[in-house]
Amino acid sequence: MKRIAICLALFSALLGACSSSTGQPVANGEMEATVQRVVDGDTVELSTGEKVRLIGVDTPETVKPNTPVQPYGKVASEFSKQLLTGQKVKLKFDVEPYDKYNRLLAYMYLQDGTFVNEKLVRDGYARIMTIPPNVAYADLFLEAEREARENNKGLWGLSESEEKPEKKATTAKPAKEAAPEGKTIKGNINAKGEKIYHVPGSASYEQTNAEMWFATEEEAKAAGFRAPKR
């Protein structure tokens, strides 16, 4: 019986190794990959041809159709190119491995352990943009952006003439990406670190930069956000 148990354990291990070597993206799984090129600061293309959108981060636009190059966009894109082009990386997936554009959604790690998503935010190359249900590192990203803001790193250090991103929800520039399907409530963090959500039609909704998106007010409250004070 002991020998049978050992054989079964070895067989199971071999099956696991075979399944992981397929490199198929699955919820909460991971895979190895090679970055062929950087499309934009937060989007890369793998050697397989698949595109990867980094979860939870949003760098200024440089290649979006009908959208002008945004302040600090070229700097962020060049940083990602220097950091990632040709690199072997580990991709970790959250609840949803793909977005509606059929891009992989992933947390990316270099071989030395560098957490790319976090580094982009902490060094000021990206704002946070967390979209439930992919929220595994939302708190880490919030802390990283707060540090970048307080130290005027990267895009947070731009002068007013360079269109420095506003820190207050009431004066922040509108989010450049449309609301995810079914999620129209904007979550924003103001200069004091207060988490505030804004529903469509409210006074500051159009001017608010969405750092998180929610489907319901209950979902926003569960994430620690509150309604604006009246």
Side-chain angles (χ1 to χ4, degrees), residues 28-138:
N28 302 309
E30 60 183 61
M31 60 180 278
E32 304 291 331
T34 300
V35 176
Q36 178 170 289
R37 72 183 182 96
V38 170
V39 179
D40 204 353
D42 51 32
T43 306
V44 306
E45 182 178 313
L46 304 179
S47 58
T48 59
E50 285 195 284
K51 289 184 179 178
V52 179
R53 178 63 164 82
L54 300 180
I55 297 174
V57 305
D58 186 31
T59 60
E61 296 289 354
T62 60
V63 297
K64 188 175 182 178
N66 303 315
T67 301
V69 174
Q70 296 180 326
Y72 217 70
K74 290 184 177 180
V75 176
S77 182
E78 185 60 30
F79 177 79
S80 291
K81 288 178 182 178
Q82 295 293 327
L83 183 69
L84 300 173
T85 303
Q87 294 296 313
K88 291 183 178 180
V89 297
K90 177 181 290 185
L91 303 178
K92 292 187 177 181
F93 305 104
D94 209 317
V95 177
E96 298 173 333
Y98 289 94
D99 67 7
K100 63 182 179 181
Y101 304 108
N102 205 36
R103 298 177 299 185
L104 288 170
L105 295 173
Y107 303 109
M108 183 176 290
Y109 296 82
L110 298 179
Q111 289 185 302
D112 65 3
T114 298
F115 186 7
V116 177
N117 307 52
E118 178 194 7
K119 184 173 181 62
L120 288 174
V121 176
R122 197 175 294 277
D123 288 355
Y125 293 102
R127 302 177 181 86
I128 60 173
M129 189 179 72
T130 303
I131 302 173
N134 302 311
V135 297
Y137 295 101

Side-chain angles (χ1 to χ4, degrees), residues 159-189:
S159 65
E160 291 299 324
S161 62
E162 295 172 305
E163 296 185 342
K164 179 177 179 179
E166 293 290 347
K167 299 179 182 180
K168 294 183 180 180
T170 55
T171 58
K173 296 184 183 301
K176 60 180 178 291
E177 291 195 11
E181 186 175 353
K183 299 179 186 295
T184 58
I185 297 176
K186 295 179 177 180
N188 180 271
I189 305 169

Side-chain angles (χ1 to χ4, degrees), residues 131-207:
I131 302 173
N134 302 311
V135 297
Y137 295 101
D139 288 342
L140 177 64
F141 295 159
L142 287 172
E143 184 274 327
E145 183 178 87
R146 188 172 298 115
E147 178 185 301
R149 286 182 175 189
E150 291 174 352
N151 291 283
N152 293 318
K153 289 186 176 180
L155 58 84
W156 303 109
L158 295 177
S159 65
E160 291 299 324
S161 62
E162 295 172 305
E163 296 185 342
K164 179 177 179 179
E166 293 290 347
K167 299 179 182 180
K168 294 183 180 180
T170 55
T171 58
K173 296 184 183 301
K176 60 180 178 291
E177 291 195 11
E181 186 175 353
K183 299 179 186 295
T184 58
I185 297 176
K186 295 179 177 180
N188 180 271
I189 305 169
N190 65 19
K192 297 179 180 179
E194 297 174 318
K195 299 180 180 180
I196 303 171
Y197 69 82
H198 301 265
V199 300
S202 62
S204 300
Y205 184 80
E206 294 300 328
Q207 294 78 26

